[in-house]
Amino acid sequence: MSTIDSVLKETRLFPPSDDFRRRALVPSLDAYHALCEQADDHYLSFWGDLAREQISWKKPFSRVLDDSNAPFFKWFDDGLLNVSYNCLDRHLAQHGNKLAIIFEADDGAVTRVTYAELHRRVCQFANGLKAQGIKRGDRVVVYMPMSIEAVVAMQACARIGAIHSVVFGGFSAKSVQERIQDAGAVAVITANEGLRGGKSVPLKAVIDEALGLGGCESIQRVVVFQRTNGGASDWQEGRDIWWHKLTEGQPEQCEPEWMNAEDPLFILYTSGSTGKPKGIQHSTAGYLLGAINSFRMVFDYKPNDVFWCTADVGWITGHSYVCYGPLGNAATQVIFEGVPTYPDAHRFWQMIEKHKVTIFYTAPTAIRSLIKLGADFPNQHDLSSLRLLGTVGEPINPEAWIWYHEVVGKGRCPIVDTWWQTETGSVMIAPLPGAVATKPGSCTLPLPGVIADIVDESGAPVEPGKGGMLVIKKPFPSLVRTIWGDPERFKKTYFPEEFNGKYYLAGDSANRDEHGYFWIMGRIDDVLNVSGHRLGTMEIESALVANPLVAEAAVVGKPHEIKGEAVVAFVVLKGQRPTGEDAKKIADQLKSWVAHEIGKIAQPDDIRFGDNLPKTRSGKIMRRLLRAIARGEEITQDTSTLENPAILTQLQEGIR
């Protein structure tokens, strides 16, 4: 394999301020390197010590790692613990009256819940589940809006040893049915409806439709939280039960089920290249350690912080940095039901001001959509409570990074650009904000204990400046344990024979610069091969977004009889969508811009303009749909998760 060409050159460097450094958990680059050396030299004791320090054990473990059946690694496998106990009970003596969750509903109503109150709610709900016959090892699908109840449902499952599988509340009935079938779930926890952007979202109706598709005979109970006054017409007595009826009269204490460290905590389904969702199975202790430790280190957590992660619990970010990481550290966090632009684009900034948020963690897609609306909105609010910003979900292009830094952070808040995956369970590569100078667009350096590298197809490291495949060379506690029900697919996907089954293959392409910083270039299957040059899509997207006219861009490839692949760009401008001659003129300008910024090899052959890009309700750009549009193929895949399905027709119009 030829290495992937890296064409993005970013030299701006942003060191942490002296004031931030002085207060930081890891206050210098020397301190960071010392931790990395400690992890490299004493790998097992490094992780073992962290597990003893950060987790409360019912029965301590005696063995850190069992790698005798690699890649099915076992961590702390003779220890006993409970995740809900670690997130709630152990904090009650010291932090029972501390705010655990500040929940802001779509309509602006605010509910505050302390650790003692959250513990009571979780125990009552857990007792209610047990009364319905749900027990240790049972699988429970959670299909909920963003809410305190979503966290209660997950924590209650963990408390009684049931394995939860959260399905994002925007997925279609067929998607829900597939996940219920694959997991063999015995129950569903849902709401009658959700509220989002001023509109009601049917949830119970989707569950009814999913169960009506057949093959879900394993389901015995559907627990329904009453969020609104409608949306629960198709009620089946004996199967469906209201949340408030389930918890009525239940005791406020529930003894935790003491789990083996390697017992499954949850299954989370993620897209697979074959079209069949992969059930990513995470363990109890290893996953919890990853969530707790990374939360502390990456966000430089302080006891008086107010943390806000905008992710939905239907994704791994909502698992690790809403449900488990913050609560495992006794943190106060904000949970938000709605969208950043309802009732207007002031919403995020009003909430930061109102709740005195100190750490704000969101997706580059959200940042870019807010950039399009202008700096006037954040500039009208007091954002002085912020001390740290973060990004998650995809690489952030440098110009969006700069806007985030200057307009939202006022030039004083470090930005932690985090790289990790559903499969890794917790952040793998990110700047420790008191130690590492940041570069716009780079996730910088691996966390201590994460042994990352960039290799070619033979597994040999590539030279700095050249791109290759991102791998992690040693097992780590929060790593996916298997694909639910399909261990062979797990091995083939993540520990391929080309690397002798030794390295975890992330599926992302990356390169490393002269400082050793990692730059994510996109998925391996998003690498374009243009005239023999392998180009990462993210770099071309970054060049386009650096143009002052452009708010957002997504790049895909389509077959080309001469070049192998042609570059197709889908572009959203900061102003109106151009048509006719204006569109042709701006497209030509942008092609020349990319040629100047990167080189003619990366110049798009085709540029299409849209009012937006096709995104899921969580803000993720659906590049597979864009590839189909670029190639003129009929769109056959499920589009029910799209926030804006009408945009597909717009983008399918003639190429400019």
Side-chain angles (χ1 to χ4, degrees), residues 15 61 66 161 190 224 246 393 477 480 489 574 634 638:
F61 59 90
D66 176 4
T190 189
V224 186
L246 181 97
V480 53
R489 188 181 183 193
K574 290 177 180 171
E634 184 183 353
D638 182 10

Side-chain angles (χ1 to χ4, degrees), residues 6 22 44 118 132 139 151 226 249 259 272 290 299 308 315 342 347 374 387 401 409 502 532 545 555 564 568 609 611:
S6 173
R22 272 195 299 272
L44 295 187
L118 185 60
Q132 297 299 315
R139 275 78 65 205
V151 173
Q226 188 168 3
M259 308 298 289
F299 301 112
W308 182 17
W315 311 109
Y342 177 80
R347 190 64 184 269
R387 69 177 192 88
W401 193 102
K502 289 183 177 178
V545 176
V555 168
V568 181
F609 297 102
D611 293 324

